[in-house]
Amino acid sequence: MAVVQRLRRLNCPTVMGNADAWLLSGVETADEGIPPERLKKMGEIREWSLSQLNTEDREFIANFQPTITLTLDKNHDLLCFHGSPDSFDDIILPAAPHEDFHKFLGTYAEHILTGGHTHAQQIRRNGELFFFNPGSVGLVYSHNQPDDQFHADPWAEYAILSAENGNTNLEFRRVPFDAQELIRIYRASGRPFAEEALAQYQR
């Protein structure tokens, strides 16, 4: 709720992500093979999350866009998306083979590109320009860890892109946060299965 309220105050264009769409529809669009027990828990968390939002909040989220194009300067624009420009479910990891990367982004080489979805910071050339993922503010984790030992990192990641006189500058940033305070907020929120979510911040 607090995030939605802040985005509404900022009044900035926002990309639709897979979790945003799922929150509104309850339809899992990616074939991720999620076990039925986990899907049931996700459904309960979804219902609780929706109960925290009013009608205006839901309408605001429903107006998120699949892609957003921002003009940086006379020489560059930025194409923003979640997974890829064609689907918020597409996955582009840092180690993705060139063929997979080109399949998702090669036809958009006239843009600087930015996407999320994988919660992993990266930058990669795309023709004369580049693609970058700024990382995740809300849930940072390494993809190189066993599923049964999943651990989230206690920091937020983002990036700052600027363009001037035909030159671009990109900075990746990482800001630590108080994991114990996050745990306190979770427990006070009433969110279903909070302890399971908090286990990823506890070793």
Side-chain angles (χ1 to χ4, degrees):
M1 179 175 65
V3 172
V4 174
Q5 291 175 348
R6 181 163 180 78
L7 286 174
R8 290 180 65 180
R9 289 195 302 270
L10 289 171
N11 193 30
C12 61
T14 307
V15 166
M16 177 70 77
N18 60 308
D20 308 310
W22 179 80
L23 175 67
L24 296 178
S25 69
V27 176
E28 180 58 48
T29 55
D31 183 16
E32 297 183 3
I34 301 174
E37 180 182 352
R38 184 182 170 202
L39 280 174
K40 182 175 183 298
K41 290 180 178 180
M42 288 170 59
E44 292 184 40
I45 295 168
R46 173 179 174 267
E47 289 301 321
W48 175 84
S49 299
L50 287 172
S51 74
Q52 308 300 301
L53 304 175
N54 60 35
T55 300
E56 290 76 17
D57 292 332
R58 298 185 193 194
E59 290 175 351
F60 174 75
I61 296 171
N63 285 316
F64 291 179
Q65 299 299 306
T67 64
I68 294 170
T69 302
L70 302 174
T71 299
L72 299 176
D73 61 20
K74 66 179 181 179
N75 299 305
H76 301 101
D77 60 19
L78 175 68
L79 179 61
C80 312
F81 46 87
H82 189 68
S84 80
D86 298 319
S87 171
F88 51 52
D89 288 320
D90 286 338
I91 296 173
I92 304 173
L93 289 169
H98 176 74
E99 293 75 15
D100 293 344
F101 177 83
H102 186 76
K103 177 183 71 175
F104 291 132
L105 300 180
T107 58
Y108 300 93
E110 72 274 18
H111 305 279
I112 297 173
L113 303 167
T114 185
H117 193 40
T118 63
H119 302 242
Q121 288 183 328
Q122 63 166 305
I123 182 170
R124 191 160 176 173
R125 279 189 173 275
N126 187 38
E128 294 298 314
L129 300 175
F130 58 93
F131 159 75
F132 72 97
N133 185 325
S136 173
V137 171
L139 182 61
V140 179
Y141 61 88
S142 169
H143 286 265
N144 300 315
Q145 58 181 319
D147 290 341
D148 60 352
Q149 299 177 27
F150 181 84
H151 179 73
D153 297 313
W155 57 75
E157 293 179 345
Y158 65 101
I160 297 177
L161 175 69
S162 58
E164 185 175 4
N165 299 323
N167 298 313
T168 57
N169 182 64
L170 178 65
E171 298 178 44
F172 287 111
R173 296 191 177 182
R174 178 179 290 175
V175 180
F177 61 78
D178 184 346
Q180 293 307 309
E181 177 64 8
L182 175 66
I183 290 170
R184 184 195 67 77
I185 293 170
Y186 251 96
R187 286 176 173 158
S189 69
R191 178 191 184 277
F193 311 107
E195 292 303 321
E196 292 184 18
L198 293 176
Q200 63 194 4
Y201 291 101
Q202 299 169 317
R203 290 183 184 266

